[in-house]
Amino acid sequence: MFKLIIAIIRDSDANTVLDALIAANFRATRIASTGAFFRQGNTTLMIGVEAERVDAAIDVIKSACGPAPTDGSYRATLFVLNTARYEQI
């Protein structure tokens, strides 16, 4: 079974997170996005993984994002979805 992780992260963390994912042998598609509330730049990553590697991918993202801000905001929002099929061509 495969999963799709959609990770919405701050632009300031994007390169660090992508580098960490690549170093851990994960592939990601990067999409520029904008948050609605503060209208700040974000990066959305789409990461296709085997179900048993979801926790490892999330751990990489958490580590690369660094500590949570003290102002109550978030460094990342993650969605994990079931995926019927996953191919890399």
Side-chain angles (χ1 to χ4, degrees), residues 13-29:
D13 294 322
N15 289 333
T16 304
V17 171
L18 278 170
D19 290 345
L21 286 168
I22 291 167
N25 290 323
F26 291 102
R27 294 183 180 194
T29 298

Side-chain angles (χ1 to χ4, degrees), residues 46-73:
M46 296 186 350
I47 309 156
V49 298
E50 297 84 4
E52 61 272 5
R53 294 189 70 206
V54 169
D55 290 336
I58 290 172
D59 288 343
V60 169
I61 295 166
K62 283 181 183 179
S63 294
C65 281
T70 58
D71 64 0
S73 63

